[in-house]
Amino acid sequence: MRKAILQVLKFIAFLAIGLLVLWVAFRNTDFKKLSEVLKKADYLWLLLSILFGFLAYVARALRWNVLIKPLGYNPSPYSSYHAVLTGYLANLALPRLGEVTRCVALGKKEKIPVDQLIGTVIIERTIDFFTLLLLMTGVLLISSNQVVEFMNESVFLPLREKVLVVFGVSWVIWAALFTLMILGFVFLIKYKKRLRKIRLFAKIFDTAKGVINGLKTITTLERKWTFIFYTVFIWINYALMTWVVVFCIDGTSSISFGESIFLLVIGGLAMSAPVQSGFGVFHYAVSRAVVILKGVSIEDGLAYALLSHESQLIFTVILGTISFYLIFRKKRIM
């Protein structure tokens, strides 16, 4: 009961943050003008964006299977796909809940230890994070001073301030916590055999071992180039998914594919914020990025952000709901 209440409180807290940022994003907006922009938008381009998003989902499932194979399991691509979509659906409830949910879903369907699957997902997310960093570096190297200034003010300075708050003011506390973690780790290793006799610690050790086994799969991949291909394919589709939406609106239609990579980076950073599916944060960050990029009105920027985010959100909810039903029903997916 307490756990359920805590989950509800977390959901409300994250949603409140998203709504607050959403209010900030729209507070100085001319809603009549925004409505006119949305009415004139060419929504056919959204279908193409959704297609690229779907291809990225499929590639994610196939790439995940490449990581799982060294564990000695060979899950159905259909099961992996539905597990991935179920995870995306779970992210609408709580940020990052989907990572665990998709592992539980696939583990249940294909009889694979969940702890080992978690290790493979950590690898996936780490690689995607470094890919995003690589794209961000490329954007900074080739972009105009306005774009660099926007990145500095909207990304690097807030991050720097956050780090200073965490490690500057209370560095003694963090140093003490780090020391305690090291001592705790040494204690666990030294008295591992004795602690294993206690059920709780035995479960912790087994889970940790499973996660480590999952992490090791990156070193034993039999299809390394296939994994790289899927990774590149995923991000190409993300880039195309981001770009084609610009043609929905006259004010943003002059944005080139290269310039849209900047929007992809900003959108990717916004989606990693601790709110459900980047709700609010995405709209604020991406709309301002569009304005900086082309000097269009904030209404055009918000229209682009709304069309880009909500089209994928609705599509994900539909696919995720179908996948949730298929993967948790009793009949096995063939």
Side-chain angles (χ1 to χ4, degrees):
M1 183 66 180
R2 180 184 294 180
K3 186 177 180 181
I5 294 174
L6 184 62
Q7 294 295 333
V8 171
L9 291 175
K10 284 182 179 179
F11 172 80
I12 294 173
F14 290 131
L15 183 61
I17 293 171
L19 290 173
L20 177 62
V21 180
L22 193 66
W23 173 78
V24 173
F26 283 86
R27 62 177 175 173
N28 295 320
T29 303
D30 183 339
F31 286 97
K32 184 178 180 180
K33 185 176 180 181
L34 176 61
S35 177
E36 290 175 357
V37 174
L38 291 173
K39 284 180 181 178
K40 294 178 181 178
D42 185 352
Y43 289 90
L44 286 177
W45 288 102
L46 289 183
L47 296 178
L48 190 57
S49 177
I50 288 171
L51 173 62
F52 289 132
F54 174 74
L55 292 175
Y57 290 150
V58 173
R60 274 198 172 279
L62 295 174
R63 185 181 68 169
W64 195 19
N65 276 4
V66 174
L67 277 176
I68 295 171
K69 191 73 179 291
L71 295 174
Y73 301 96
N74 190 24
S76 161
Y78 295 100
S79 294
S80 298
Y81 164 79
H82 289 303
V84 167
L85 265 298
T86 299
Y88 276 111
L89 182 67
N91 277 335
L92 298 178
L94 284 175
R96 301 306 165 214
L97 178 63
E99 316 304 348
V100 177
T101 301
R102 68 156 154 155
C103 293
V104 172
L106 187 62
K108 178 180 182 296
K109 182 60 66 173
E110 298 285 342
K111 311 303 179 185
I112 304 173
V114 174
D115 48 14
Q116 295 189 35
L117 290 175
I118 289 175
T120 62
V121 170
I122 292 173
I123 291 172
E124 269 199 316
R125 285 307 179 189
T126 302
I127 289 172
D128 287 335
F129 173 73
F130 280 109
T131 303
L132 188 62
L133 285 182
L134 182 64
L135 289 173
M136 184 168 64
T137 302
V139 166
L140 291 174
L141 289 175
I142 65 175
S143 295
S144 64
N145 291 333
Q146 281 184 313
V147 169
V148 174
E149 185 179 342
F150 176 83
M151 292 288 287
N152 189 45
E153 292 180 358
S154 302
V155 179
F156 299 119
L157 285 180
L159 184 62
R160 178 176 174 272
E161 290 174 5
K162 187 178 292 186
V163 171
L164 286 176
V165 169
V166 172
F167 294 103
V169 179
S170 56
W171 66 270
V172 176
I173 297 174
W174 283 101
L177 288 173
F178 181 73
T179 303
L180 286 174
M181 287 175 61
I182 296 297
L183 291 175
F185 182 74
V186 172
F187 177 81
L188 288 173
I189 296 299
K190 186 174 181 180
Y191 297 100
K192 182 178 178 181
K193 291 184 178 179
R194 294 183 185 179
L195 291 172
R196 265 199 169 277
K197 296 178 181 179
I198 303 173
R199 186 176 179 180
L200 174 62
F201 283 101
K203 181 64 176 177
I204 291 173
F205 285 129
D206 290 339
T207 301
K209 183 179 179 181
V211 172
I212 292 171
N213 285 338
L215 291 170
K216 287 180 179 178
T217 58
I218 194 66
T219 63
T220 56
L221 285 181
E222 296 177 359
R223 301 161 60 197
K224 288 183 173 64
W225 287 108
T226 303
F227 182 85
I228 293 171
F229 169 78
Y230 285 139
T231 300
V232 172
F233 185 77
I234 288 167
W235 283 92
I236 287 176
N237 278 283
Y238 281 163
L240 291 171
M241 176 183 80
T242 302
W243 181 42
V244 295
V245 180
V246 306
F247 301 112
C248 293
I249 306 164
D250 289 338
T252 61
S253 60
S254 62
I255 294 176
S256 67
F257 177 73
E259 290 172 329
S260 71
I261 300 299
F262 170 56
L263 301 180
L264 173 63
V265 170
I266 295 300
L269 293 172
M271 292 299 287
S272 65
V275 292
Q276 291 91 332
S277 294
F279 190 73
V281 181
F282 182 94
H283 302 80
Y284 178 85
V286 171
S287 63
R288 271 61 182 178
V290 171
V291 172
I292 289 293
L293 199 60
K294 284 296 177 181
V296 299
S297 67
I298 189 62
E299 287 76 21
D300 281 342
L302 284 168
Y304 170 84
L306 282 168
L307 292 174
S308 181
H309 186 272
E310 268 53 60
S311 61
Q312 294 296 330
L313 178 65
I314 293 170
F315 186 59
T316 301
V317 169
I318 293 171
L319 292 184
T321 303
I322 295 171
S323 292
F324 177 82
Y325 166 75
L326 291 176
I327 204 163
F328 283 106
R329 65 177 182 173
K330 292 183 179 180
K331 185 178 179 181
R332 188 179 186 280
I333 301 171
M334 297 304 292

